[in-house]
Amino acid sequence: MSIQLALDGVTRSFDGFKAINNLSLTVEKGELRAVIGPNGAGKTTMMDIITGKTRPDSGEVLWNQTVDLTRIDEAGSARLGIGRKFQKPTVFETQTVEDNIALALKDDRSVWATLFHRRSTEDTARITDLLELVKLTDHRTDMAGDLSHGQKQWLEIGMLLAQDPELLLVDEPAAGMTDAETMRTAELLRGIAGKHTVVVVEHDMDFVRALNCRVTVLHQGHVLAEGSLDHVSANDEVIEVYLGR
Ligand code: ADP
């Protein structure tokens, strides 16, 4: 496997406080990775740096071993194939589920096709596949506004996948979900990894366990431990700083 993303010695301060402190981290192409850590550990700032929302003071962020992401803004990172799902779902509430996906398809013509209810067979097939992937096949013609919170999160993931990102960054998808939705979300993300690289920031440990992937524990802006959830949860430093024991 090749390296998709490599952060090397990245530091970012806010008013003299190092939110990210000499952070080094690599993610393989197609990998599913969970990033955990207490509040203030630097998880959001790390995502902001990867997507070009925030520039680090020092260090390197390499994309596919070639492109320096520290020189690229958010629009540029999206063009490179980096998709970001923020915590709150953002969907077009007054459009149907399938039209939400259609509007997100990369091809600009799909917007007009959707507005005029003319869709190519290719786009229809792609929408069908995406709805299957995000478990919304039975809700194809429902209004997005009528979906549950969890279903809206899946729809937004589907909309991001419609743009065929190489890397998908997902911020706390399980927040506010029922237990059943949480488990389905883990299944969904496991299903899209491989074709896409997926980095998930999450607090819910049942969800992280269900992801069954490599876990990175952030603390004070750097990596405290990395490995399976069992491995990192047995680490004394992690137990002390993360679990507060
Ligand atoms: P997490 O997402 O793990 O909770 P954050 O990346 O949001 O952590 O924050 C890490 C630290 O950096 C926190 O102490 C936070 O207060 C600080 N921080 C983040 N962004 C800013 C900002 N724009 N201005 C000042 N401090 C910030």
Side-chain angles (χ1 to χ4, degrees):
M1 277 227 252
S2 58
I3 294 172
Q4 175 98 83
L5 184 69
L7 280 71
D8 188 15
V10 175
T11 295
R12 174 63 157 105
S13 301
F14 295 104
D15 305 322
F17 173 77
K18 288 179 176 168
I20 294 294
N21 189 0
N22 198 21
L23 173 65
S24 297
L25 175 76
T26 57
V27 180
E28 302 274 345
K29 211 171 234 184
E31 191 184 341
L32 172 60
R33 173 75 60 90
V35 177
I36 65 173
N39 274 335
K43 304 182 293 295
T44 306
T45 309
M46 181 193 79
M47 302 274 243
D48 288 349
I49 288 171
I50 296 168
T51 54
K53 191 174 181 199
T54 297
R55 269 176 218 277
D57 306 322
S58 55
E60 194 177 63
V61 183
L62 271 189
W63 172 248
N64 286 329
Q65 301 173 63
T66 47
V67 181
D68 179 2
L69 290 180
T70 65
R71 293 171 189 280
I72 282 167
D73 63 9
E74 278 179 291
S77 80
R79 276 196 298 274
L80 282 175
I82 301 177
R84 184 173 188 182
K85 159 97 189 72
F86 288 92
Q87 200 177 330
K88 204 169 160 289
T90 313
V91 298
F92 300 109
E93 304 252 336
T94 57
Q95 303 286 331
T96 64
V97 166
E98 68 176 321
D99 282 353
N100 266 269
I101 301 279
L103 288 166
L105 286 171
K106 224 171 187 174
D107 186 351
D108 285 345
R109 281 173 310 173
S110 70
V111 174
W112 297 104
T114 299
L115 291 174
F116 295 104
H117 300 284
R118 283 208 192 101
R119 196 168 287 151
S120 67
T121 34
E122 195 188 312
D123 280 357
T124 304
R126 179 111 174 89
I127 293 165
T128 301
D129 288 349
L130 285 165
L131 289 176
E132 185 74 36
L133 202 57
V134 298
K135 305 178 185 303
L136 289 173
T137 302
D138 295 343
H139 297 277
R140 189 171 187 133
T141 55
D142 292 355
M143 281 293 157
D146 293 336
L147 297 177
S148 72
H149 169 75
Q151 289 165 340
K152 282 182 191 170
Q153 296 287 49
W154 302 338
L155 177 55
E156 199 191 350
I157 291 172
M159 291 162 75
L160 284 163
L161 292 177
Q163 289 158 48
D164 207 16
E166 272 190 62
L167 168 66
L168 193 58
L169 301 168
V170 191
D171 191 11
E172 290 191 46
M177 283 190 182
T178 63
D179 289 349
E181 284 177 339
T182 299
M183 290 304 120
R184 280 196 105 179
T185 306
E187 202 183 300
L188 187 163
L189 292 175
R190 282 204 318 265
I192 62 175
K195 182 160 185 275
H196 308 266
T197 310
V198 183
V199 175
V200 191
V201 165
E202 188 51 62
H203 282 293
D204 182 330
M205 284 305 133
D206 289 336
F207 175 70
V208 174
R209 183 163 297 284
L211 287 175
N212 191 24
C213 67
R214 193 172 179 83
V215 176
T216 300
V217 186
L218 279 197
H219 177 56
Q220 296 180 341
H222 66 267
V223 176
L224 190 62
E226 203 168 82
S228 67
L229 185 58
D230 285 339
H231 173 79
V232 299
S233 354
N235 179 305
D236 286 342
E237 278 185 294
V238 173
I239 294 169
E240 198 178 319
V241 304
Y242 186 63
L243 302 173
R245 282 191 251 139

